[in-house]
Amino acid sequence: MTLEPTRIRLARERAALSRSALAASLGVNERELAHAPEQLGHRLAELLDCSPSYFMLPATCGIDTERIFFRSPRRTSTVQKRAAAAVGRTGVDLYRLITQNFALPDTEVPDLTGYSFTEAAVQLRLDWDLGCGALPDMMHLLESHGVRVLSLPPELDAVKTFSFWEDGQAFIFLASMSAVAQRFALAHELGHLLLHSSLGEQGEQLAAAELEADQFAAQLLLPALSLQVRVSDSLQIPQLLRLEEHFGVPAAVILTHSRACGVISAETYCWLFQELSLEAPADVQPVTSRVFSLVFPSLQLDHRTSTSVIARELGLREQHIHELTFGQAFVLLTGQNQQEPGEVHRGHLRAL
């Protein structure tokens, strides 16, 4: 019996290994790798950091990289894109298992192709009844409208963020960064999902789309009316940092958008940017998914399943599930008292 070749390819791409490098590590040629016997399963699993059962699952493939909106498409290598696409497929499969136990909202992101970034930001606020002030927690807002948000494993932090549509559902993958940077990144990816579902593959279109997604995010998070009543040429760094906290938007973005809206002069913009560069960078802050904060404790409490069971069904390590869920999927630490499910150990207490 041979192992599923599409699974070998996907695990290899996730591990950022070339076919020749993997074949050399196994001591086989590339032709043999395409028809690997079942006996190679454990060695493959060790090299590609997954379970041997992964290669016995049905055929699969990564998300088509041409359908993924990458934060820096030109600076993201082909190897990184393929690794991200493989992680994207794992995220889709994870949500498929979650929705077998929980009823989650379908994605309610309107198709605003053809709108300007300003029109799209206004229309979304109307559609989602968001008013004209500062928005609530961006991740919780997206999840309430059916967007599936997952975290990127550390080895893909350089990719920063990416998003795509799959089977009518929107997915966003987010790297570790400061809270305000994450908030802006989520709004940026939302802009892609709204505006660019029919995007072509030309480099000029991709560059224009990245700029437009940035402009949409700034317009959504910082409505011009709110800026006009709060920002002027008398703006100082302490006020700017308070605005950053109020809107949850990086101070640099506030300055850039304020300049674009004409509420501060070029001189004020340049001076504040210089002053801002002297401020200490914000700390990376953990974010919390409302979906995962409900799902994993409930699964654990009801004994329906656990992180280890989900990992086994997907043919992955528990750590992979932990990394995809902002660390909210429970993972048991190995130790001398670890035992298999159902195994009973007698206590070691003694009367003195």
Side-chain angles (χ1 to χ4, degrees), residues 274-293:
Q274 291 173 356
E275 291 293 307
L276 188 61
S277 67
L278 302 176
E279 296 290 322
D283 294 332
V284 172
Q285 297 290 334
V287 295
T288 303
S289 160
R290 185 166 290 172
V291 171
F292 299 143
S293 67

Side-chain angles (χ1 to χ4, degrees), residues 236-248 254:
Q236 300 290 321
I237 288 295
Q239 294 171 282
L240 178 60
L241 296 179
R242 285 196 293 272
L243 288 174
E244 179 180 72
E245 183 177 0
H246 175 74
F247 287 108
I254 296 174

Side-chain angles (χ1 to χ4, degrees), residues 72-147:
S72 303
R74 290 181 172 177
R75 294 194 296 272
T76 304
S77 69
T78 300
V79 170
Q80 288 175 320
K81 287 180 179 179
R82 288 176 179 169
V87 169
R89 174 57 63 192
T90 302
V92 171
D93 290 345
L94 173 60
Y95 257 98
R96 175 179 51 80
L97 289 180
I98 288 174
T99 53
Q100 290 176 4
N101 289 280
F102 295 87
L104 300 180
D106 289 330
T107 299
E108 301 170 346
V109 175
D111 182 1
L112 300 181
T113 303
Y115 282 61
S116 70
F117 65 85
T118 301
E119 293 168 340
V122 171
Q123 187 61 51
L124 186 70
R125 279 183 174 264
L126 290 172
D127 289 349
W128 286 5
D129 194 23
L130 298 173
C132 59
L135 295 183
D137 185 290
M138 198 66 193
M139 181 180 292
H140 297 172
L141 176 64
L142 289 171
E143 289 182 326
S144 71
H145 289 277
V147 179

